[in-house]
Amino acid sequence: MLSLAALSLRLRASGCQGSRRSIATVISGNETSKLVRDRLKQEVDQMRSQFSGFRPSLVVLQVGDRDDSNLYISTKLKAAAQIGIDAKHVLRSIMSVNENPSVHGLIVQLPLDSVNRIDAELVTNSVNPEKDVDGLSCINAGKLSRGDLNDCFIPCTPNGCMELIRQTGVSVAGKHAVVIGRSKIVGAPMHDLLLWNHATVTTCHSKTPDLPEQVGRADILVVGAGRAEMVRGDWLKEGAVVIDCGINHVSDETKASGKRVVGDVHYSSANQRAGFITPVPGGVGPMTVAMLMENTVTSARRFLLKNQSQR
Ligand code: NAP
Ligand code: LUD
């Protein structure tokens, strides 16, 4: 199969974009996530026939009733059903799920939506690290930061970004990668993943002076800042791989809903300069869901192996 990189080179070489500057190749999260989900479905089918009806099981715990969480959770439940993962949506205690041997994955959807302030750190750290398919507990985060990538659960959004970078065919080793954001769910684990895939990594945040200068050095740029269309096309290094995690709702009178979703990257200027770029929607979002399914299947596989060796 022709990789995205080869395809992009061919398009450029054949000059099929006319005399205009070549436009970045779109890295589709919708398509890549479908490939991942199809592969997982096959694996789960195989588990089921080999272990008489066994199914990987995921619990999504929600506190409150935020519209965005409701939407993300329903996407996760649909993806799970399609793959054959038995997923439950609960509003109960973490401990009973931790102790239930028939559950292989447990996530606590963030942010927690409650009248009384709840310490999210305390809650994510209460999840049994062996079931922490969101990779947010400090045990899994610590392993990732030390480079023990095969012995931990990697947070779904950065893991999905890595998968999209792989799709381009551009190798990460030796490249200069820039991450904007240092949150526990996106920026910090993204930094670790790029580092242990042998990139030289710069992580930027709200106190970084001269963001455009830092961005201009990036062969690979991952943005998770939560600032609508902040990164402009003219900041980018020509040919860069641009991965946009941002999900921002901006008002748009032309839409029936009165709003639309944009990323943290100004797409129409960035795609004139980037080599590869993810759209929003249809980029990182669907990959987050696919990677959650992957971590759940991995956890179920580990569970099966452990039980087999104990027999
Ligand atoms: P967050 O917890 O608010 O963190 C944002 C990070 O960006 C912080 O580290 C902040 O710096 C940094 N930042 C904010 N403004 C900046 C600026 N002007 N210049 C440089 N850095 C700046 O957000 P998050 O949870 O990481 O999410 C980030 C974005 O990704 C949001 O749009 C969110 O909706 C989206 N997201 C998408 C997915 C997905 O699946 N696609 C998953 C998770 C999140 P400080 O640390 O200094 O405050
Ligand atoms: N908390 C997440 N909170 C929010 N977009 C997601 C997400 C699907 N513990 C925990 O699921 O991994 C998490 N673990 N997150 N998020 C964001 C974050 C969490 C974001 C986007 C999507 C999950 C998604 O499917 C689609 C797209 O970008 O194409 C549709 C977007 C739309 O609004 O139509």
Side-chain angles (χ1 to χ4, degrees):
M1 207 176 72
L2 207 59
S3 73
L4 276 177
L7 185 66
S8 153
L9 279 177
R10 280 203 189 171
L11 287 175
R12 278 158 202 245
S14 67
C16 56
Q17 273 128 7
S19 58
R20 276 188 309 142
R21 193 200 290 279
S22 55
I23 289 181
T25 304
V26 178
I27 317 169
S28 170
N30 284 335
E31 282 167 27
T32 310
S33 71
K34 172 129 192 1
L35 293 178
V36 173
R37 285 182 279 117
D38 288 348
R39 172 170 55 74
L40 294 173
K41 182 169 180 353
Q42 282 184 4
E43 189 172 342
V44 171
D45 284 348
Q46 208 216 326
M47 276 178 174
R48 245 158 77 196
S49 53
Q50 195 178 344
F51 297 94
S52 52
F54 174 90
R55 272 178 194 274
S57 155
L58 168 72
V59 165
V60 180
L61 208 132
Q62 181 180 15
V63 177
D65 187 29
R66 287 173 58 105
D67 287 344
D68 58 351
S69 296
N70 293 340
L71 174 70
Y72 300 150
I73 290 171
S74 79
T75 315
K76 290 174 183 181
L77 298 179
K78 266 187 231 149
Q82 195 194 30
I83 291 166
I85 294 173
D86 179 21
K88 281 193 188 62
H89 178 194
V90 301
L91 297 132
R92 267 197 334 209
S93 101
I94 294 180
M95 294 313 156
S96 68
V97 183
N98 271 347
E99 283 158 21
N100 183 346
S102 64
V103 176
H104 312 109
L106 165 59
I107 71 164
V108 183
Q109 189 73 20
L110 298 173
L112 303 173
D113 175 27
S114 148
V115 185
N116 302 311
R117 221 189 78 81
I118 307 175
D119 183 346
E121 184 70 13
L122 202 68
V123 174
T124 44
N125 277 328
S126 309
V127 175
N128 177 349
E130 290 177 12
K131 298 187 180 185
D132 172 30
V133 286
D134 245 342
L136 296 179
S137 71
C138 58
I139 298 278
N140 282 307
K143 286 182 179 175
L144 175 60
S145 75
R146 292 178 176 201
D148 297 333
L149 269 61
N150 293 322
D151 181 37
C152 69
F153 286 114
I154 297 168
C156 305
T157 301
N159 210 9
C161 294
M162 275 311 293
E163 195 57 50
L164 291 173
I165 295 168
R166 264 181 227 119
Q167 285 289 317
T168 66
V170 172
S171 67
V172 173
K175 296 285 160 50
H176 192 101
V178 172
V179 178
I180 306 184
R182 55 177 165 181
S183 69
K184 288 176 183 142
I185 193 166
V186 183
M190 192 72 235
H191 163 277
D192 297 340
L193 258 184
L194 286 163
L195 179 68
W196 293 108
N197 279 277
H198 313 300
T200 304
V201 190
T202 303
T203 298
C204 304
H205 46 76
S206 65
K207 304 287 189 293
T208 301
D210 207 351
L211 201 59
E213 190 205 342
Q214 297 300 335
V215 168
R217 296 187 187 167
D219 303 307
I220 298 167
L221 175 71
V222 183
V223 191
R227 299 276 179 267
E229 300 180 322
M230 175 181 76
V231 173
R232 316 301 293 187
D234 59 5
W235 297 7
L236 299 173
K237 182 168 177 174
E238 188 88 40
V241 176
V242 177
I243 308 289
D244 186 355
C245 301
I247 297 182
N248 308 287
H249 297 271
V250 296
S251 60
D252 183 343
E253 296 313 321
T254 69
K255 294 275 186 294
S257 61
K259 57 183 186 175
R260 88 193 135 92
V261 179
V262 298
D264 290 348
V265 175
H266 185 259
Y267 189 85
S268 59
S269 60
N271 79 346
Q272 300 296 306
R273 227 166 137 103
F276 300 88
I277 189 165
T278 59
V280 177
V284 174
M287 290 305 290
T288 297
V289 177
M291 293 296 118
L292 175 64
M293 301 303 125
E294 168 142 82
N295 280 351
T296 305
V297 174
T298 300
S299 181
R301 202 189 309 117
R302 284 182 190 157
F303 170 88
L304 284 173
L305 282 172
K306 207 158 114 182
N307 271 28
Q308 250 178 348
S309 63
Q310 277 172 0
R311 268 196 215 136

